[in-house]
Amino acid sequence: MDQDEGIPDHGEAEQASYARFGGETDGRDEQPACRQDAPRPRRPTRILFAGHDFKFLRFLLSHFREQPDYCVLTDDYESHALGDKAKSADLLKQADVIFCEWCLGNAEWYSHHALEHQKLIVRLHAQEVRLGFLDRINWQRVDRIVIVSEHYFDMFTERVPSMAGRALLLRNAVDCESFDKPKRDGSEFNLGLLGICPRQKSPHLAIEILRRLRVVDERYRLFIKGKHPSEYEWLWARPEERAYYERFYDDVNRSDLADSVVFDEFGDDVAEWFTEIGTILSTSEHESAHLAVAEGMASGAVPVIRGWAGARRHYPERYVVQHEAEAFVTEAVATILERDNPIVRLQESRFCKAFVRDNFDRGCIIRQYEELLSELWEPV
């Protein structure tokens, strides 16, 4: 197993958001039969989606399954390495286009086995850059590499310069309509943290931000949504991770903040949860894109983003503060207090919603994928 295997690039609690796009993320996809409609001049384009985790792509699978011009096949399995290769080989024979979600063992295998007439698309997030799969992929056989953020686009093309002309920046998608709900009374004093695993998410910094805000105004609260770290076997088995979270929960429970920190369960009610949130926090040491920020902005929550590499290119610079922990906390507190004005909050909220609609809206992202497929594959 690779050293980073099992480490979620975006945080497990965020998985709840993606259940809306086609089903629960913890289950495995059933293999649908290609639709057998009335005779058509052209047969449906057969797309094979291969990956161990479709949480960021379920909206796209759902979309293409509903289109009569496409037939969706799925090769889903556990872990980073490909699962049943006999099953993969059988599915491969049926496909016109292969779409590898995550640039891991799936991309390695399919890049060496794709047939001459087939088109191969690979999508890269972040953790793949730190693993060894990139060195084992047959890049000459990959038609397009889709990358979700500007920072990792540059990192990848620097590492694999031969793919620069076949690389495409395409952000993760947000269902803006589902997040556009009225805020509840008092939400302006509520901070939100969606996902606290693994420890690189640094949730202790959110606690410190809350502590300092409550010195000024005791109405401030922090809402944390996601699974308890002990629910992830891979994480809880790592001594340094487990020790961090045991100390984190102990510090919260022993402090005078216990009544102002709300732990909400993992679930697919993220859009509803955001009706309580006025400020969405990104306290992570590093991220690829941190989709929770975009979802919060779609709801009208205003972000405070720690300055992880690439944050200023992916989100408006006005919402990104310093990276060093103490400087981040200090600037975050000052920024939140500066927004303690109804007119300012309304202006920022409207700006956030417009930014996400322009850059992350699901309909726009779907159209970009449709254009990509049209460019690569001519129906037969």
Side-chain angles (χ1 to χ4, degrees), residues 336-355:
I336 293 169
L337 291 176
E338 287 172 1
R339 297 172 185 161
D340 188 16
N341 177 291
I343 296 177
V344 172
R345 282 198 302 271
L346 180 60
Q347 291 174 339
E348 294 295 336
S349 181
R350 288 175 174 172
F351 176 85
C352 288
K353 289 184 177 183
F355 175 82

Side-chain angles (χ1 to χ4, degrees), residues 302-304 318-319 321 330-340:
V302 185
V304 174
R318 65 205 276 179
Y319 299 131
V321 299
T330 299
E331 192 172 350
V333 170
T335 299
I336 293 169
L337 291 176
E338 287 172 1
R339 297 172 185 161
D340 188 16

Side-chain angles (χ1 to χ4, degrees), residues 120-330:
L120 176 58
I121 302 169
V122 177
R123 197 165 86 124
L124 179 144
H125 298 257
Q127 61 179 311
E128 300 99 307
V129 175
R130 304 190 298 271
L131 302 179
F133 293 99
L134 295 188
D135 299 325
R136 302 195 291 269
I137 292 171
N138 177 15
W139 290 110
Q140 291 183 338
R141 193 60 192 83
V142 177
D143 295 281
R144 290 290 185 276
I145 177 81
V146 175
I147 305 170
V148 302
S149 71
E150 296 85 346
H151 179 67
Y152 282 92
F153 184 97
D154 290 346
M155 287 183 66
F156 171 81
T157 52
E158 181 178 349
R159 180 167 171 180
V160 190
S162 65
M163 285 297 297
R166 288 171 280 163
L168 177 66
L169 174 67
L170 244 173
R171 291 180 172 88
N172 283 315
V174 175
D175 184 0
C176 293
E177 183 177 355
S178 72
F179 282 95
D180 191 10
K181 300 176 181 292
K183 293 290 185 183
R184 297 182 183 178
D185 291 342
S187 63
E188 64 269 25
F189 296 104
N190 295 339
L191 317 177
L193 195 60
L194 180 58
I196 63 171
C197 299
R199 64 184 171 130
Q200 71 184 44
K201 295 285 185 181
S202 305
H204 67 283
L205 297 181
I207 299 297
E208 184 58 28
I209 291 170
L210 176 66
R211 187 189 312 277
R212 298 188 192 185
L213 284 172
R214 285 181 61 83
V215 171
V216 178
D217 193 323
E218 292 187 349
R219 287 177 291 181
Y220 280 101
R221 295 189 297 169
L222 172 64
F223 289 74
I224 297 176
K225 186 172 181 61
K227 291 182 180 180
H228 190 280
S230 63
E231 296 182 64
Y232 301 100
E233 183 177 352
W234 64 267
L235 183 151
W236 209 241
R238 297 181 178 182
E240 69 280 6
E241 294 278 343
R242 181 168 181 167
Y244 171 84
Y245 287 106
E246 288 177 337
R247 184 170 61 254
F248 170 77
Y249 285 104
D250 186 62
D251 288 347
V252 172
N253 292 331
R254 289 176 177 270
S255 74
D256 57 359
L257 298 176
D259 292 338
S260 56
V261 179
V262 180
F263 289 96
D264 291 315
E265 294 183 357
F266 172 91
D268 61 0
D269 58 341
V270 177
E272 184 64 28
W273 180 77
F274 267 118
T275 64
E276 292 273 15
I277 307 303
T279 299
I280 176 65
L281 297 176
S282 176
T283 58
S284 303
E285 294 177 12
H286 57 85
E287 293 278 356
S288 63
H290 206 179
L291 188 59
V293 173
E295 293 183 321
M297 293 174 72
S299 79
V302 185
V304 174
I305 305 169
R306 189 177 177 183
W308 35 266
R312 287 179 172 82
R313 299 174 65 188
H314 205 68
Y315 292 110
E317 187 169 358
R318 65 205 276 179
Y319 299 131
V320 183
V321 299
Q322 298 181 66
H323 183 270
E324 190 276 325
E326 176 59 29
F328 163 64
V329 170
T330 299

